[in-house]
């Protein structure tokens, strides 16, 4: 098996009295796609946000390639360059065109020349079928188009790990597919990803490993096959049942 | 039609001089309002209950109060009550700045609180530092949101300076009145020509500013 890149041990996240994440352990190997599912409010989005230092944590340790991720640390920006994140929605910068959205961080943070950044951006846009939108402002794009731009904008930083936080949850149903297809193609080229989603069919198609998070704890984890066909815990059985309809 | 009186002597130049007085009062007030408005507006977004209560009260007071009443209050009121002798120009700058600061502060507060948290977070997630995030992501959005609205405030202020003749300032409208009075016998129709010219002068100043606001709004439609 290939090396572990992201490690989480004993992660505890509390908001005052409320414990959102309760001693979560996880390690992600290079090239692995981990999909986290769970009921609303189970802490799965918070978990992703902790991985990127957007939330401070009370206990435990998160490391990327041995480097600790600490929301208060001075080196946080350096680590964040290596972890990409795409959110539910409204994250493109509305005052910048698609191309400017994509080149801002590489030019300002990585010090890439504007020309090189633009060349790379154009390639990525072509790949997700949005080359013709390069000079548009985000307000002129559909939700699905925006999310595809958000994904390739994250890729511009050459992240070692990509975090996707319910990226289709705010989309119209017919736009979900175009976004998820992009994610599936990223999985095929061996990107390391941690994905939070409600789309179980997509999860099954893209995941190397499935995780059910509930009450701030990992309830069950396993290969997609075990997870969907042979759930071991009652909790997972119930969770999966809530997605199927019977006459 | 009465336009001929404007060609007599220095009448038209006097009118322009009056416009200059109006512009001076409004521009000084705008500058003060922007400065204090940005300060107060940013303060209002902080979680300080006392600041919130005081600024809310101030805002409501200035909005409800007609500007003319405020002018009388400051110009005539302070002289009697506080024994301060303000010049009419100072009094009007104070009143216009009080008004402008309230409106600007509300604009700034709105622009600041209107930026969703996700804008900060997605910028941080791309590896941008806090300073870079403000410089490239947050500030440009705030300026874009505020500029068209502040320009509207400027034109409203220029128009409202016509009130200051009530406390004895000889601005464009007052000069117009004087010209009409002086030529009552010679050209009884002067009123139309002079007031139409005053109207045109306001228009020439305010219209381009209004167009600029429209243009920016459209260009920055986000």
């Amino acid at each position: 098996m290939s090396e572990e890149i992201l490690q989480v041990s004993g992660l505890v996240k509390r908001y005052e009295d409320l414990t959102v994440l309760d001693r979560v352990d996880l390690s992600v190997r290079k090239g692995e796609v981990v999909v986290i599912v769970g009921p609303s409010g189970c802490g799965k989005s918070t978990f992703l946000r902790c991985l990127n230092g957007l939330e401070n944590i009370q206990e435990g340790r998160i490391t990327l390639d041995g480097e600790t991720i600490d929301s208060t640390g001075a080196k946080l920006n350096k680590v964040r360059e290596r972890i990409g994140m795409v959110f539910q929605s409204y994250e493109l910068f509305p005052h910048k065109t698609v191309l400017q959205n994509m080149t801002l961080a590489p030019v300002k943070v990585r010090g890439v020349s504007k020309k090189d950044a633009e060349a790379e951006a154009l390639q990525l846009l072509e790949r997700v079928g949005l080359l013709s939108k390069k000079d548009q402002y985000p307000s002129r794009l559909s939700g699905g188009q925006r999310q595809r731009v958000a994904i390739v904008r994250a890729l511009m930083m050459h992240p070692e790990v990509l975090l996707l936080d319910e990226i289709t949850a705010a989309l119209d149903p017919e736009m979900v597919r175009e976004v998820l297809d992009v994610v599936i193609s990223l999985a095929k080229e061996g990107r390391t990803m941690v994905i939070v989603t409600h789309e179980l069919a997509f999860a099954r198609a893209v995941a190397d490993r499935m995780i059910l998070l509930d009450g701030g704890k990992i309830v069950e984890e396993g290969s997609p096959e075990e997870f969907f066909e042979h759930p071991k815990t009652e909790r997972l059985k119930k969770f999966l049942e809530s997605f199927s309809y019977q006459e | 039609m009465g336009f001929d009186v404007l060609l007599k002597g220095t009448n038209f130049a006097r009118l322009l001089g009056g416009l200059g007085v109006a512009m001076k009062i409004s521009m000084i007030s705008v500058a003060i309002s922007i400065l204090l408005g940005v300060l107060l507006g940013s303060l209002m977004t902080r979680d300080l209950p006392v600041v919130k209560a005081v600024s809310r009260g101030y805002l409501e007071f200035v909005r409800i109060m007609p500007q003319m009443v405020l002018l009388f209050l400051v110009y005539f009121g302070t002289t009697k009550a506080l024994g301060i002798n303000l010049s009419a120009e100072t009094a009007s700058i104070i009143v216009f700045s009080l008004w402008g600061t309230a409106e600007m502060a509300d604009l700034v507060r709105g622009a600041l609180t209107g930026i969703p948290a996700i804008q900060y977070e997605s910028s941080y997630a791309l590896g941008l530092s806090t300073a870079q995030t403000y410089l490239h992501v947050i500030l440009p959005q705030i300026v874009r949101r505020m500029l068209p609205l502040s320009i509207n405030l400027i034109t409203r202020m220029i128009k409202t300076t016509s009130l200051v003749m009530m406390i004895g300032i000889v601005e464009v409208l007052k000069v117009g009145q004087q010209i009409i009075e002086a030529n009552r016998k010679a050209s009884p129709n002067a009123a139309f020509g002079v007031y139409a010219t005053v109207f045109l002068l306001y228009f020439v100043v305010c219209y381009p500013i209004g167009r600029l606001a429209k243009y920016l709004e459209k260009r920055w439609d986000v």
Side-chain angles (χ1 to χ4, degrees), chain A:
Chain A
M1 270 304 185
S2 54
E3 56 181 310
E4 288 174 352
I5 181 158
L6 186 68
Q7 278 178 314
V8 179
S9 59
L11 172 60
V12 174
K13 166 75 193 171
R14 276 188 227 104
Y15 291 111
E16 288 169 18
D17 292 342
L18 184 71
T19 302
V20 184
L21 295 169
D22 189 7
R23 289 188 296 280
V24 176
D25 300 299
L26 175 73
S27 80
V28 181
R29 291 184 304 274
K30 220 168 217 167
E32 191 179 25
V33 177
V34 176
V35 176
I36 304 172
V37 294
S40 304
C42 71
K44 51 195 194 303
S45 283
T46 308
F47 180 67
L48 277 199
R49 293 166 59 80
C50 290
L51 295 187
N52 206 7
L54 287 173
E55 301 279 349
N56 56 344
I57 61 175
Q58 276 64 52
E59 284 170 42
R61 206 170 125 88
I62 306 168
T63 56
L64 176 73
D65 239 353
E67 187 123 16
T68 302
I69 298 174
D70 173 3
S71 69
T72 56
K75 282 192 288 183
L76 185 59
N77 291 337
K78 281 274 158 245
V79 183
R80 275 177 176 157
E81 284 176 43
R82 302 167 59 195
I83 302 184
M85 183 155 183
V86 182
F87 301 82
Q88 205 178 75
S89 58
Y90 307 116
E91 59 166 308
L92 293 182
F93 306 137
H95 60 294
K96 292 187 177 294
T97 64
V98 166
L99 202 57
Q100 288 165 346
N101 260 281
M102 292 178 71
T103 54
L104 175 67
V107 170
K108 298 296 172 193
V109 180
R110 271 174 51 218
V112 181
S113 79
K114 193 166 169 244
K115 198 166 145 258
D116 291 350
E118 282 184 353
E120 190 183 353
L122 293 178
Q123 265 181 4
L124 283 167
L125 282 175
E126 178 155 33
R127 179 176 159 181
V128 295
L130 291 173
L131 192 54
S132 62
K133 305 285 183 193
K134 67 183 168 68
D135 295 318
Q136 297 279 351
Y137 284 91
S139 57
R140 301 269 176 271
L141 304 183
S142 73
Q145 291 170 335
R146 280 181 221 176
Q147 285 301 64
R148 281 184 279 162
V149 172
I151 293 170
V152 287
R153 184 179 71 174
L155 294 182
M156 289 291 291
M157 292 302 285
H158 302 171
E160 290 156 58
V161 179
L162 196 56
L163 311 175
L164 306 180
D165 185 10
E166 304 199 34
I167 56 168
T168 58
L171 295 182
D172 288 340
E174 64 264 36
M175 289 173 183
V176 170
R177 188 58 193 254
E178 64 188 46
V179 174
L180 296 184
D181 279 343
V182 172
V183 180
I184 287 172
S185 83
L186 293 178
K188 280 192 186 136
E189 63 177 43
R191 292 254 173 203
T192 313
M193 292 190 277
V194 182
I195 301 173
V196 165
T197 186
H198 287 295
E199 305 279 340
L200 292 192
F202 158 71
R204 193 169 182 166
V206 80
D208 294 314
R209 181 150 48 114
M210 292 292 308
I211 287 175
L212 173 68
L213 200 65
D214 190 22
K217 288 177 198 259
I218 292 181
V219 176
E220 182 162 349
E221 65 176 297
S223 71
E225 212 158 51
E226 292 165 358
F227 191 88
F228 288 105
E229 301 301 330
H230 312 288
K232 291 193 278 285
T233 58
E234 276 308 307
R235 186 67 193 90
L236 178 55
K237 280 177 199 162
K238 257 183 82 184
F239 178 75
L240 293 175
E241 270 167 23
S242 70
F243 281 87
S244 62
Y245 296 90
Q246 268 151 10
E247 285 185 44

Side-chain angles (χ1 to χ4, degrees), chain A residues 49 80 90-92 94-95, chain B residues 118-119 121-122 124 136 222:
Chain A
R49 293 166 59 80
R80 275 177 176 157
Y90 307 116
E91 59 166 308
L92 293 182
H95 60 294
Chain B
I118 191 87
Q119 288 286 318
E121 289 177 349
S122 60
Y124 295 147
H136 300 294
V222 291

Side-chain angles (χ1 to χ4, degrees), chain B residues 19 51 101 122 127 155 199 208:
Chain B
L19 187 68
V51 174
T101 300
S122 60
T155 56
F199 166 81

